[in-house]
Amino acid sequence: MATYKVKVVTGDVLEAGTRNSVYITLVGTRGESPQTAMSYKFLPGTVKEQTVKCKQDLGPIVLVRLAKSRLFLEDAWFCKEVYVTAPDGTAYRFPCYQWLEGITTQEFREGSGKKMADDDLEILKEHRRKELKARQEAYQWKNYAEGWPCCLNVDSVFDLDSNIQFSCTRTKSFKGLLIYQGATHLLSGFLTRPNSWRSLDEMRSIFSRTQGRDIGACLALPFPCS
């Protein structure tokens, strides 16, 4: 009997958690583990720990398979990463950073960067082929009009997968940052100043809260500070 320790990390973005059922399967060079049910409640920014028991050692773990099924209502889940510790103490990290929506199954590779030529296992080659096919289907182009650049072959941004479209979560984050920056400049006198600045020192005091950027250095450059 081989026992693996698993940690599943939920992203800390807005509404990243889920109450749907989540299952995990470990895929190694010598076989797969049984599909193991995780706790049904995942909160944003939290870590769920689980043990996965197998009849034999799976060898090096190359893939993690996550399956999500809805209980009553659809509740999308943003998985950040998965950590696996083998019985011999070997640690593996599987970056995910994806939304899992509906009834779906997704596979994620171990975090070490590899080129296609480095994949010597057929299971990894097949995984790469499936991933490439999915991307080709998701990113199809069409001519919007004669002489215009090509665009994605969808009627609306809502037809895109949530991992592709600009989500409402990102929109809320940017709006919150914009409000914060506006309030900061207002309190520091930037937006209500009736007169011109008399020196660079006064300008530096206005921008003192912009993460250490030096307005004098920005003015000296031939391009704006990013």
Side-chain angles (χ1 to χ4, degrees), residues 42-218:
F42 292 79
L43 298 177
T46 59
V47 179
K48 286 286 185 181
E49 298 186 9
Q50 180 72 41
T51 57
V52 177
K53 296 183 178 181
C54 309
K55 294 182 178 180
Q56 62 181 10
D57 186 85
L58 302 177
I61 307 299
V62 295
L63 292 174
V64 160
R65 185 180 302 132
L66 294 175
K68 187 180 80 67
S69 62
R70 64 171 64 97
L71 292 176
F72 301 104
L73 300 176
E74 165 58 20
D75 191 11
W77 174 48
F78 186 80
C79 179
K80 182 178 180 181
E81 52 197 351
V82 176
Y83 294 91
V84 178
T85 303
D88 62 359
T90 304
Y92 303 89
R93 175 178 174 270
F94 297 84
C96 303
Y97 297 97
Q98 285 196 27
W99 288 97
L100 278 71
E101 296 180 319
I103 300 175
T104 183
T105 300
Q106 299 286 341
E107 291 183 340
F108 301 96
R109 298 168 65 105
E110 200 267 327
S112 57
K114 292 183 178 180
K115 302 185 295 294
M116 183 180 296
D118 298 329
D119 291 336
D120 52 354
L121 297 174
E122 183 59 33
I123 188 173
L124 291 180
K125 294 179 181 178
E126 179 63 22
H127 176 265
R128 194 181 290 271
R129 286 192 290 264
K130 290 180 179 179
E131 187 178 51
L132 179 60
K133 182 180 179 181
R135 290 181 181 273
Q136 290 173 338
E137 293 175 350
Y139 298 100
Q140 295 187 13
W141 299 97
K142 68 177 180 180
N143 290 323
Y144 178 75
E146 186 67 28
W148 286 64
C150 293
C151 62
L152 283 176
N153 188 19
V154 292
D155 296 327
S156 168
V157 66
F158 299 105
D159 295 334
L160 296 172
D161 182 87
S162 58
N163 292 298
I164 302 174
Q165 62 179 269
F166 196 87
S167 68
C168 61
T169 301
R170 297 189 184 98
T171 303
K172 292 177 182 177
S173 298
F174 280 121
K175 285 183 178 178
L177 179 61
L178 181 62
I179 293 173
Y180 170 77
Q181 292 291 349
T184 300
H185 290 319
L186 179 63
L187 292 176
S188 61
F190 176 70
L191 299 179
T192 57
R193 184 180 181 87
N195 304 318
S196 300
W197 289 295
R198 292 172 296 187
S199 66
L200 285 178
D201 290 333
E202 288 188 358
M203 297 177 69
R204 288 190 181 95
S205 67
I206 294 297
F207 290 91
S208 61
R209 298 186 183 184
T210 56
Q211 299 180 355
R213 295 179 180 138
D214 191 336
I215 186 63
C218 292

